[in-house]
Amino acid sequence: MRNRCAIVLVAMTLIAAGHAAQALDTCGLPPMVVAEGGAHSDPQAVPAKAATTDDEENLSPEEKMGRRFPQPVRVGDLIGLPLLDWDDSTLGYVRHVVRTPEGKIQLIVNQGRLFGWGGRLVQVPIEAVAILARQLDLLDISVEEFRAAPAWSAATTQPIPSDDMIRIAISRR
């Protein structure tokens, strides 16, 4: 009986969190599915996470980010976060968040090898990463492209204040 009560309590918490998430601004995207299954689930229903298709390759970086449920984050909370590749190897750490003259947001990441210090700074588009807890995942850029990226020039960008809010995609594994 105790286990059933705990399960019901967890399910109610997840459902309440789902309703709270639906109340937030989702940029016109469908709400994220919090829980599925049960006796009344439809076996013909589309899974919550669609498989990667050829259509996704034709999407712009902004459209890809829009499909990743971008959420607001304070710029200062991104500073110092590690940037990881698909093998969970740390590629560098976020040092600055800047805006280009075209209005694009870029993360300035240090490519150094010694705890993120030394080396050179490179720009990573905000659309190519997603936040996962206290780290960032590099999604749409290969490690080779990241290492071959040109060095960042502070003269061409404008820093974003650490108290400003921006939107970043969320990730899970």
Side-chain angles (χ1 to χ4, degrees):
M1 182 69 179
R2 205 182 234 183
N3 288 340
R4 287 185 183 173
C5 290
I7 291 171
V8 168
L9 181 61
V10 169
M12 289 174 56
T13 304
L14 289 173
I15 291 170
H19 289 292
Q22 286 178 353
L24 295 174
D25 178 29
T26 59
C27 298
L29 296 174
M32 183 169 38
V33 175
V34 176
E36 292 186 328
H40 303 290
S41 64
D42 182 10
Q44 301 297 325
V46 177
K49 184 177 179 184
T52 303
T53 63
D54 291 334
D55 292 338
E56 286 188 19
E57 293 176 9
N58 297 330
L59 296 176
S60 71
E62 291 81 10
E63 291 171 328
K64 286 181 184 180
M65 182 179 171
R67 288 185 173 197
R68 294 179 181 138
F69 299 100
Q71 299 295 312
V73 66
R74 195 175 70 86
V75 170
D77 293 337
L78 296 176
I79 306 299
L81 291 183
L83 179 66
L84 306 180
D85 64 6
W86 281 102
D87 294 328
D88 287 336
S89 297
T90 302
L91 299 171
Y93 295 85
V94 177
R95 295 290 173 229
H96 308 284
V97 180
V98 299
R99 190 176 311 274
T100 65
E102 297 82 28
K104 302 284 185 177
I105 297 174
Q106 305 275 321
L107 302 175
I108 307 304
V109 179
N110 191 320
Q111 277 190 336
R113 292 284 179 210
L114 183 60
F115 302 110
W117 297 101
R120 62 191 184 96
L121 299 173
V122 297
Q123 296 180 146
V124 176
I126 194 82
E127 298 88 7
V129 300
I131 194 165
L132 174 65
R134 294 291 301 156
Q135 63 195 28
L136 298 172
D137 287 337
L138 187 62
L139 300 176
D140 294 332
I141 299 176
S142 69
V143 174
E144 293 79 24
E145 290 173 328
F146 174 75
R147 291 193 176 125
W152 169 61
S153 171
T156 61
T157 58
Q158 178 182 12
I160 299 175
S162 62
D163 289 336
D164 280 6
M165 298 292 283
I166 62 171
R167 296 178 73 79
I168 189 168
I170 57 175
S171 176
R172 67 182 175 131
R173 288 192 185 186

